[in-house]
Amino acid sequence: MTRRVLAAGHVNWDVTLRVDALPDPDGEARIESQHTAGGGSAANVAASLVGHDVDASILGSVGDDENGLLVRRELAEVGVDTDRLRVVDDGETSVKYLVVAASGQVMVLGNDGANEAVHPDDVDAGTVADVDHVHLTSQRPETAARLARLAADVDATVSFDPGRRLDSRDFSATIERADVLFLNGREAASVLGSEYANAPPTRGGLVVVKHGARGATVHKSTGSYEHPGFDVDAVDTTGAGDAFAAGFLAVVLGDAGINADRIERALEYANACGALAATSEGARTAPTRPEVEAFLEQRY
């Protein structure tokens, strides 16, 4: 059975600038290379899922400008269903400027543009009627919460990766309804406190904490699983977290929802996805299933 996943949230156009070092205030840096491509966490995950043999669609919004056309064309070319991608008349597609230093440090500049034009009233039962899983990323908290409720009504599972805006937005209603919650170490400390494994706040009780190059940990109420990650020559870690999330979901999603027996395999596979993504420039660099399997075979 082909799993059907709806990714909802930000859809951007990314401009990645590689510099020799991030400049100090009033300083200057030398641009060593420039790369443009589609971005946004929801779009990145959707595109990556297709590469893992998952039927993926995107819910988000772009402007009717040239960047929006490029975003839609790029997603369609890789096989993402864009029927739910809203095009805002006279809107400006959100553009993110990702400044990446040789050390791996990243600075993000951007405008919101048409990024959050999807309101709670714009989604209904039909939005999630034909999907098995909904992956939520940063967006209007009210929209995310409504999508999580609608998914529960049709017995679709939910994952949530709130991203950088977690500290400034109230996503508690969505977190409570999530089967899988993706966080980095800082976000985990903010949401869960120091004892991650004690009563995870999600419906499914599954919290995945990403540690970057140091791998990741999955916490359940009954225990935790760890994987140290893979040592690679990282070029650009932008989008590696999205590649990780897509890889984890591609393995852990079974015909009847979240398959707890696949957690350890999902963790290993997801870390391989993140590592491979970090070896290429840009946010939309997720590896495909054959590439990940070849990578793992070489490692063992």
mmCIF file of all heavy atoms in Angstrom, residues 188-237:
data_model
loop_
_atom_site.group_PDB
_atom_site.id
_atom_site.type_symbol
_atom_site.label_atom_id
_atom_site.label_comp_id
_atom_site.label_asym_id
_atom_site.label_seq_id
_atom_site.Cartn_x
_atom_site.Cartn_y
_atom_site.Cartn_z
ATOM 1 N N ALA A 188 13.831 20.955 22.530
ATOM 2 C CA ALA A 188 13.427 19.901 23.452
ATOM 3 C C ALA A 188 13.520 20.373 24.891
ATOM 4 O O ALA A 188 12.635 20.104 25.717
ATOM 5 C CB ALA A 188 14.287 18.656 23.243
ATOM 6 N N ALA A 189 14.592 21.089 25.225
ATOM 7 C CA ALA A 189 14.746 21.597 26.582
ATOM 8 C C ALA A 189 13.644 22.599 26.910
ATOM 9 O O ALA A 189 13.141 22.638 28.037
ATOM 10 C CB ALA A 189 16.116 22.249 26.735
ATOM 11 N N SER A 190 13.227 23.381 25.908
ATOM 12 C CA SER A 190 12.181 24.375 26.119
ATOM 13 C C SER A 190 10.817 23.728 26.320
ATOM 14 O O SER A 190 10.043 24.116 27.195
ATOM 15 C CB SER A 190 12.125 25.332 24.922
ATOM 16 O OG SER A 190 11.017 26.199 25.013
ATOM 17 N N VAL A 191 10.525 22.719 25.512
ATOM 18 C CA VAL A 191 9.195 22.105 25.545
ATOM 19 C C VAL A 191 9.079 21.038 26.630
ATOM 20 O O VAL A 191 8.072 20.950 27.332
ATOM 21 C CB VAL A 191 8.863 21.478 24.172
ATOM 22 C CG1 VAL A 191 7.570 20.673 24.235
ATOM 23 C CG2 VAL A 191 8.749 22.567 23.119
ATOM 24 N N LEU A 192 10.119 20.248 26.794
ATOM 25 C CA LEU A 192 10.018 19.054 27.624
ATOM 26 C C LEU A 192 10.753 19.148 28.943
ATOM 27 O O LEU A 192 10.557 18.310 29.818
ATOM 28 C CB LEU A 192 10.556 17.844 26.852
ATOM 29 C CG LEU A 192 9.973 17.612 25.462
ATOM 30 C CD1 LEU A 192 10.690 16.459 24.802
ATOM 31 C CD2 LEU A 192 8.488 17.349 25.536
ATOM 32 N N GLY A 193 11.638 20.125 29.116
ATOM 33 C CA GLY A 193 12.457 20.150 30.305
ATOM 34 C C GLY A 193 13.627 19.194 30.163
ATOM 35 O O GLY A 193 13.947 18.724 29.081
ATOM 36 N N SER A 194 14.249 18.866 31.251
ATOM 37 C CA SER A 194 15.456 18.055 31.205
ATOM 38 C C SER A 194 15.184 16.570 31.064
ATOM 39 O O SER A 194 16.033 15.808 30.610
ATOM 40 C CB SER A 194 16.296 18.299 32.463
ATOM 41 O OG SER A 194 15.551 17.957 33.621
ATOM 42 N N GLU A 195 14.004 16.116 31.468
ATOM 43 C CA GLU A 195 13.706 14.682 31.414
ATOM 44 C C GLU A 195 12.774 14.398 30.238
ATOM 45 O O GLU A 195 11.567 14.365 30.355
ATOM 46 C CB GLU A 195 13.051 14.225 32.726
ATOM 47 C CG GLU A 195 13.962 14.350 33.929
ATOM 48 C CD GLU A 195 15.186 13.450 33.815
ATOM 49 O OE1 GLU A 195 15.084 12.401 33.149
ATOM 50 O OE2 GLU A 195 16.228 13.794 34.381
ATOM 51 N N TYR A 196 13.347 14.220 29.057
ATOM 52 C CA TYR A 196 12.566 14.062 27.842
ATOM 53 C C TYR A 196 11.645 12.841 27.891
ATOM 54 O O TYR A 196 10.538 12.862 27.382
ATOM 55 C CB TYR A 196 13.480 13.898 26.631
ATOM 56 C CG TYR A 196 14.447 15.012 26.403
ATOM 57 C CD1 TYR A 196 15.652 14.776 25.757
ATOM 58 C CD2 TYR A 196 14.165 16.308 26.821
ATOM 59 C CE1 TYR A 196 16.566 15.792 25.536
ATOM 60 C CE2 TYR A 196 15.082 17.328 26.611
ATOM 61 C CZ TYR A 196 16.269 17.068 25.963
ATOM 62 O OH TYR A 196 17.165 18.073 25.752
ATOM 63 N N ALA A 197 12.115 11.758 28.482
ATOM 64 C CA ALA A 197 11.382 10.499 28.390
ATOM 65 C C ALA A 197 10.214 10.412 29.366
ATOM 66 O O ALA A 197 9.427 9.469 29.298
ATOM 67 C CB ALA A 197 12.327 9.327 28.647
ATOM 68 N N ASN A 198 10.113 11.378 30.264
ATOM 69 C CA ASN A 198 9.026 11.332 31.237
ATOM 70 C C ASN A 198 7.769 11.965 30.656
ATOM 71 O O ASN A 198 7.689 13.179 30.493
ATOM 72 C CB ASN A 198 9.418 12.063 32.531
ATOM 73 C CG ASN A 198 10.463 11.294 33.310
ATOM 74 O OD1 ASN A 198 10.653 10.105 33.075
ATOM 75 N ND2 ASN A 198 11.139 11.971 34.218
ATOM 76 N N ALA A 199 6.780 11.131 30.363
ATOM 77 C CA ALA A 199 5.475 11.593 29.873
ATOM 78 C C ALA A 199 5.597 12.566 28.711
ATOM 79 O O ALA A 199 5.286 13.746 28.838
ATOM 80 C CB ALA A 199 4.685 12.241 31.008
ATOM 81 N N PRO A 200 6.104 12.120 27.553
ATOM 82 C CA PRO A 200 6.140 12.995 26.380
ATOM 83 C C PRO A 200 4.763 13.603 26.128
ATOM 84 O O PRO A 200 3.742 12.937 26.298
ATOM 85 C CB PRO A 200 6.550 12.044 25.248
ATOM 86 C CG PRO A 200 7.336 10.977 25.933
ATOM 87 C CD PRO A 200 6.650 10.781 27.257
ATOM 88 N N PRO A 201 4.701 14.882 25.745
ATOM 89 C CA PRO A 201 3.433 15.599 25.672
ATOM 90 C C PRO A 201 2.594 15.303 24.435
ATOM 91 O O PRO A 201 1.570 15.929 24.218
ATOM 92 C CB PRO A 201 3.878 17.066 25.668
ATOM 93 C CG PRO A 201 5.194 17.038 24.956
ATOM 94 C CD PRO A 201 5.836 15.747 25.385
ATOM 95 N N THR A 202 3.001 14.379 23.604
ATOM 96 C CA THR A 202 2.293 14.113 22.363
ATOM 97 C C THR A 202 1.252 13.019 22.536
ATOM 98 O O THR A 202 1.331 12.196 23.443
ATOM 99 C CB THR A 202 3.284 13.662 21.271
ATOM 100 O OG1 THR A 202 3.888 12.442 21.673
ATOM 101 C CG2 THR A 202 4.363 14.707 21.047
ATOM 102 N N ARG A 203 0.297 12.995 21.627
ATOM 103 C CA ARG A 203 -0.725 11.949 21.640
ATOM 104 C C ARG A 203 -0.086 10.576 21.478
ATOM 105 O O ARG A 203 -0.454 9.617 22.160
ATOM 106 C CB ARG A 203 -1.737 12.197 20.507
ATOM 107 C CG ARG A 203 -2.824 11.131 20.404
ATOM 108 C CD ARG A 203 -3.777 11.437 19.268
ATOM 109 N NE ARG A 203 -3.134 11.307 17.962
ATOM 110 C CZ ARG A 203 -3.784 11.415 16.803
ATOM 111 N NH1 ARG A 203 -5.078 11.669 16.798
ATOM 112 N NH2 ARG A 203 -3.150 11.293 15.654
ATOM 113 N N GLY A 204 0.882 10.490 20.577
ATOM 114 C CA GLY A 204 1.526 9.215 20.322
ATOM 115 C C GLY A 204 2.704 8.922 21.231
ATOM 116 O O GLY A 204 3.259 7.831 21.203
ATOM 117 N N GLY A 205 3.102 9.911 22.042
ATOM 118 C CA GLY A 205 4.181 9.688 22.979
ATOM 119 C C GLY A 205 5.536 9.467 22.350
ATOM 120 O O GLY A 205 6.404 8.827 22.935
ATOM 121 N N LEU A 206 5.766 10.021 21.165
ATOM 122 C CA LEU A 206 7.016 9.795 20.436
ATOM 123 C C LEU A 206 7.680 11.143 20.158
ATOM 124 O O LEU A 206 7.129 11.977 19.439
ATOM 125 C CB LEU A 206 6.719 9.065 19.125
ATOM 126 C CG LEU A 206 7.886 8.404 18.400
ATOM 127 C CD1 LEU A 206 8.516 7.329 19.269
ATOM 128 C CD2 LEU A 206 7.409 7.801 17.091
ATOM 129 N N VAL A 207 8.844 11.359 20.751
ATOM 130 C CA VAL A 207 9.579 12.608 20.579
ATOM 131 C C VAL A 207 10.940 12.295 19.973
ATOM 132 O O VAL A 207 11.698 11.490 20.518
ATOM 133 C CB VAL A 207 9.756 13.353 21.914
ATOM 134 C CG1 VAL A 207 10.568 14.627 21.715
ATOM 135 C CG2 VAL A 207 8.400 13.679 22.528
ATOM 136 N N VAL A 208 11.241 12.936 18.855
ATOM 137 C CA VAL A 208 12.507 12.719 18.159
ATOM 138 C C VAL A 208 13.346 13.983 18.316
ATOM 139 O O VAL A 208 12.957 15.057 17.855
ATOM 140 C CB VAL A 208 12.276 12.425 16.661
ATOM 141 C CG1 VAL A 208 13.602 12.102 15.983
ATOM 142 C CG2 VAL A 208 11.282 11.284 16.480
ATOM 143 N N VAL A 209 14.482 13.852 18.987
ATOM 144 C CA VAL A 209 15.358 15.001 19.232
ATOM 145 C C VAL A 209 16.571 14.899 18.312
ATOM 146 O O VAL A 209 17.343 13.942 18.396
ATOM 147 C CB VAL A 209 15.805 15.070 20.702
ATOM 148 C CG1 VAL A 209 16.656 16.322 20.939
ATOM 149 C CG2 VAL A 209 14.591 15.084 21.629
ATOM 150 N N LYS A 210 16.726 15.893 17.450
ATOM 151 C CA LYS A 210 17.827 15.915 16.481
ATOM 152 C C LYS A 210 19.034 16.628 17.091
ATOM 153 O O LYS A 210 18.902 17.748 17.590
ATOM 154 C CB LYS A 210 17.371 16.633 15.206
ATOM 155 C CG LYS A 210 16.196 15.957 14.502
ATOM 156 C CD LYS A 210 15.662 16.784 13.348
ATOM 157 C CE LYS A 210 14.863 17.989 13.842
ATOM 158 N NZ LYS A 210 14.209 18.725 12.722
ATOM 159 N N HIS A 211 20.199 15.985 17.013
ATOM 160 C CA HIS A 211 21.423 16.550 17.583
ATOM 161 C C HIS A 211 22.421 16.962 16.511
ATOM 162 O O HIS A 211 23.608 17.104 16.796
ATOM 163 C CB HIS A 211 22.082 15.530 18.512
ATOM 164 C CG HIS A 211 21.199 15.017 19.601
ATOM 165 N ND1 HIS A 211 20.563 15.846 20.514
ATOM 166 C CD2 HIS A 211 20.829 13.748 19.938
ATOM 167 C CE1 HIS A 211 19.859 15.111 21.368
ATOM 168 N NE2 HIS A 211 19.992 13.839 21.024
ATOM 169 N N GLY A 212 21.972 17.135 15.280
ATOM 170 C CA GLY A 212 22.875 17.532 14.209
ATOM 171 C C GLY A 212 23.881 16.441 13.895
ATOM 172 O O GLY A 212 23.530 15.270 13.727
ATOM 173 N N ALA A 213 25.161 16.808 13.859
ATOM 174 C CA ALA A 213 26.209 15.846 13.519
ATOM 175 C C ALA A 213 26.340 14.742 14.563
ATOM 176 O O ALA A 213 26.946 13.692 14.298
ATOM 177 C CB ALA A 213 27.544 16.574 13.367
ATOM 178 N N ARG A 214 25.768 14.957 15.750
ATOM 179 C CA ARG A 214 25.868 13.957 16.821
ATOM 180 C C ARG A 214 24.705 12.968 16.799
ATOM 181 O O ARG A 214 24.490 12.220 17.759
ATOM 182 C CB ARG A 214 25.946 14.655 18.176
ATOM 183 C CG ARG A 214 27.205 15.491 18.354
ATOM 184 C CD ARG A 214 27.266 16.147 19.716
ATOM 185 N NE ARG A 214 26.247 17.184 19.862
ATOM 186 C CZ ARG A 214 25.154 17.061 20.610
ATOM 187 N NH1 ARG A 214 24.911 15.938 21.261
ATOM 188 N NH2 ARG A 214 24.291 18.048 20.694
ATOM 189 N N GLY A 215 23.946 12.940 15.714
ATOM 190 C CA GLY A 215 22.885 11.957 15.584
ATOM 191 C C GLY A 215 21.557 12.420 16.144
ATOM 192 O O GLY A 215 21.217 13.603 16.075
ATOM 193 N N ALA A 216 20.821 11.512 16.738
ATOM 194 C CA ALA A 216 19.480 11.834 17.225
ATOM 195 C C ALA A 216 19.047 10.802 18.256
ATOM 196 O O ALA A 216 19.624 9.713 18.355
ATOM 197 C CB ALA A 216 18.489 11.866 16.064
ATOM 198 N N THR A 217 18.019 11.171 19.018
ATOM 199 C CA THR A 217 17.452 10.297 20.040
ATOM 200 C C THR A 217 15.940 10.276 19.892
ATOM 201 O O THR A 217 15.320 11.314 19.639
ATOM 202 C CB THR A 217 17.803 10.793 21.453
ATOM 203 O OG1 THR A 217 19.218 10.962 21.563
ATOM 204 C CG2 THR A 217 17.331 9.813 22.518
ATOM 205 N N VAL A 218 15.355 9.104 20.032
ATOM 206 C CA VAL A 218 13.896 8.972 20.051
ATOM 207 C C VAL A 218 13.480 8.621 21.474
ATOM 208 O O VAL A 218 13.989 7.667 22.072
ATOM 209 C CB VAL A 218 13.411 7.868 19.090
ATOM 210 C CG1 VAL A 218 11.895 7.692 19.204
ATOM 211 C CG2 VAL A 218 13.780 8.218 17.657
ATOM 212 N N HIS A 219 12.561 9.410 22.021
ATOM 213 C CA HIS A 219 12.063 9.184 23.375
ATOM 214 C C HIS A 219 10.619 8.695 23.333
ATOM 215 O O HIS A 219 9.780 9.274 22.634
ATOM 216 C CB HIS A 219 12.125 10.476 24.188
ATOM 217 C CG HIS A 219 13.505 11.010 24.374
ATOM 218 N ND1 HIS A 219 14.439 10.419 25.189
ATOM 219 C CD2 HIS A 219 14.121 12.093 23.830
ATOM 220 C CE1 HIS A 219 15.570 11.114 25.151
ATOM 221 N NE2 HIS A 219 15.396 12.127 24.329
ATOM 222 N N LYS A 220 10.366 7.630 24.064
ATOM 223 C CA LYS A 220 9.016 7.141 24.308
ATOM 224 C C LYS A 220 8.816 7.065 25.821
ATOM 225 O O LYS A 220 9.778 7.123 26.584
ATOM 226 C CB LYS A 220 8.814 5.750 23.692
ATOM 227 C CG LYS A 220 8.904 5.689 22.185
ATOM 228 C CD LYS A 220 8.666 4.263 21.704
ATOM 229 C CE LYS A 220 7.264 3.786 22.099
ATOM 230 N NZ LYS A 220 7.002 2.409 21.620
ATOM 231 N N SER A 221 7.570 6.925 26.242
ATOM 232 C CA SER A 221 7.315 6.819 27.665
ATOM 233 C C SER A 221 7.937 5.559 28.255
ATOM 234 O O SER A 221 8.208 5.486 29.457
ATOM 235 C CB SER A 221 5.803 6.825 27.927
ATOM 236 O OG SER A 221 5.179 5.767 27.223
ATOM 237 N N THR A 222 8.205 4.573 27.401
ATOM 238 C CA THR A 222 8.763 3.304 27.870
ATOM 239 C C THR A 222 10.276 3.210 27.716
ATOM 240 O O THR A 222 10.870 2.200 28.078
ATOM 241 C CB THR A 222 8.114 2.135 27.106
ATOM 242 O OG1 THR A 222 8.297 2.350 25.692
ATOM 243 C CG2 THR A 222 6.627 2.036 27.418
ATOM 244 N N GLY A 223 10.908 4.239 27.165
ATOM 245 C CA GLY A 223 12.351 4.190 26.997
ATOM 246 C C GLY A 223 12.823 5.041 25.839
ATOM 247 O O GLY A 223 12.022 5.718 25.178
ATOM 248 N N SER A 224 14.117 5.017 25.583
ATOM 249 C CA SER A 224 14.711 5.852 24.547
ATOM 250 C C SER A 224 15.610 5.033 23.637
ATOM 251 O O SER A 224 16.124 3.978 24.018
ATOM 252 C CB SER A 224 15.524 6.990 25.179
ATOM 253 O OG SER A 224 14.709 7.815 25.993
ATOM 254 N N TYR A 225 15.794 5.535 22.413
ATOM 255 C CA TYR A 225 16.667 4.924 21.423
ATOM 256 C C TYR A 225 17.621 6.006 20.926
ATOM 257 O O TYR A 225 17.203 7.136 20.678
ATOM 258 C CB TYR A 225 15.871 4.368 20.243
ATOM 259 C CG TYR A 225 14.770 3.412 20.609
ATOM 260 C CD1 TYR A 225 13.510 3.883 20.985
ATOM 261 C CD2 TYR A 225 14.974 2.031 20.579
ATOM 262 C CE1 TYR A 225 12.487 3.011 21.324
ATOM 263 C CE2 TYR A 225 13.957 1.154 20.911
ATOM 264 C CZ TYR A 225 12.721 1.643 21.289
ATOM 265 O OH TYR A 225 11.713 0.777 21.613
ATOM 266 N N GLU A 226 18.880 5.653 20.747
ATOM 267 C CA GLU A 226 19.865 6.625 20.291
ATOM 268 C C GLU A 226 20.618 6.113 19.070
ATOM 269 O O GLU A 226 20.789 4.906 18.893
ATOM 270 C CB GLU A 226 20.878 6.928 21.406
ATOM 271 C CG GLU A 226 20.276 7.624 22.619
ATOM 272 C CD GLU A 226 21.344 8.034 23.619
ATOM 273 O OE1 GLU A 226 22.547 7.946 23.270
ATOM 274 O OE2 GLU A 226 20.977 8.445 24.729
ATOM 275 N N HIS A 227 21.046 7.061 18.250
ATOM 276 C CA HIS A 227 21.943 6.735 17.142
ATOM 277 C C HIS A 227 22.952 7.868 17.046
ATOM 278 O O HIS A 227 22.570 9.045 17.052
ATOM 279 C CB HIS A 227 21.184 6.581 15.825
ATOM 280 C CG HIS A 227 22.016 6.029 14.712
ATOM 281 N ND1 HIS A 227 22.921 6.806 14.008
ATOM 282 C CD2 HIS A 227 22.128 4.773 14.193
ATOM 283 C CE1 HIS A 227 23.518 6.061 13.099
ATOM 284 N NE2 HIS A 227 23.061 4.829 13.198
ATOM 285 N N PRO A 228 24.250 7.563 16.960
ATOM 286 C CA PRO A 228 25.279 8.603 17.011
ATOM 287 C C PRO A 228 25.431 9.418 15.741
ATOM 288 O O PRO A 228 26.190 10.395 15.719
ATOM 289 C CB PRO A 228 26.555 7.804 17.297
ATOM 290 C CG PRO A 228 26.297 6.463 16.672
ATOM 291 C CD PRO A 228 24.838 6.206 16.906
ATOM 292 N N GLY A 229 24.731 9.058 14.680
ATOM 293 C CA GLY A 229 24.894 9.769 13.422
ATOM 294 C C GLY A 229 26.065 9.223 12.623
ATOM 295 O O GLY A 229 26.683 8.220 12.989
ATOM 296 N N PHE A 230 26.384 9.904 11.523
ATOM 297 C CA PHE A 230 27.446 9.450 10.632
ATOM 298 C C PHE A 230 28.427 10.591 10.379
ATOM 299 O O PHE A 230 28.019 11.748 10.202
ATOM 300 C CB PHE A 230 26.860 8.966 9.305
ATOM 301 C CG PHE A 230 25.954 7.776 9.444
ATOM 302 C CD1 PHE A 230 24.580 7.940 9.534
ATOM 303 C CD2 PHE A 230 26.484 6.497 9.495
ATOM 304 C CE1 PHE A 230 23.738 6.842 9.668
ATOM 305 C CE2 PHE A 230 25.655 5.388 9.625
ATOM 306 C CZ PHE A 230 24.275 5.561 9.717
ATOM 307 N N ASP A 231 29.682 10.248 10.365
ATOM 308 C CA ASP A 231 30.734 11.241 10.142
ATOM 309 C C ASP A 231 30.890 11.480 8.642
ATOM 310 O O ASP A 231 31.279 10.575 7.893
ATOM 311 C CB ASP A 231 32.048 10.727 10.745
ATOM 312 C CG ASP A 231 33.164 11.760 10.642
ATOM 313 O OD1 ASP A 231 32.849 12.955 10.502
ATOM 314 O OD2 ASP A 231 34.342 11.367 10.707
ATOM 315 N N VAL A 232 30.560 12.697 8.203
ATOM 316 C CA VAL A 232 30.691 13.062 6.794
ATOM 317 C C VAL A 232 31.346 14.435 6.707
ATOM 318 O O VAL A 232 31.402 15.173 7.690
ATOM 319 C CB VAL A 232 29.314 13.100 6.072
ATOM 320 C CG1 VAL A 232 28.676 11.725 6.044
ATOM 321 C CG2 VAL A 232 28.380 14.116 6.729
ATOM 322 N N ASP A 233 31.840 14.772 5.530
ATOM 323 C CA ASP A 233 32.389 16.108 5.293
ATOM 324 C C ASP A 233 31.231 17.028 4.922
ATOM 325 O O ASP A 233 30.803 17.087 3.765
ATOM 326 C CB ASP A 233 33.426 16.072 4.173
ATOM 327 C CG ASP A 233 34.669 15.286 4.557
ATOM 328 O OD1 ASP A 233 35.036 15.321 5.747
ATOM 329 O OD2 ASP A 233 35.261 14.635 3.670
ATOM 330 N N ALA A 234 30.699 17.725 5.916
ATOM 331 C CA ALA A 234 29.521 18.571 5.705
ATOM 332 C C ALA A 234 29.879 19.816 4.894
ATOM 333 O O ALA A 234 30.888 20.470 5.150
ATOM 334 C CB ALA A 234 28.920 18.973 7.040
ATOM 335 N N VAL A 235 29.029 20.104 3.916
ATOM 336 C CA VAL A 235 29.179 21.293 3.090
ATOM 337 C C VAL A 235 28.164 22.349 3.491
ATOM 338 O O VAL A 235 28.475 23.532 3.603
ATOM 339 C CB VAL A 235 29.008 20.936 1.592
ATOM 340 C CG1 VAL A 235 29.006 22.189 0.729
ATOM 341 C CG2 VAL A 235 30.114 19.986 1.151
ATOM 342 N N ASP A 236 26.928 21.921 3.752
ATOM 343 C CA ASP A 236 25.842 22.845 4.077
ATOM 344 C C ASP A 236 24.769 22.052 4.823
ATOM 345 O O ASP A 236 24.178 21.132 4.258
ATOM 346 C CB ASP A 236 25.278 23.454 2.788
ATOM 347 C CG ASP A 236 24.182 24.481 3.043
ATOM 348 O OD1 ASP A 236 23.817 24.694 4.216
ATOM 349 O OD2 ASP A 236 23.675 25.048 2.055
ATOM 350 N N THR A 237 24.542 22.392 6.083
ATOM 351 C CA THR A 237 23.563 21.645 6.880
ATOM 352 C C THR A 237 22.140 22.150 6.697
ATOM 353 O O THR A 237 21.209 21.585 7.274
ATOM 354 C CB THR A 237 23.918 21.719 8.373
ATOM 355 O OG1 THR A 237 23.932 23.092 8.796
ATOM 356 C CG2 THR A 237 25.288 21.094 8.631
#
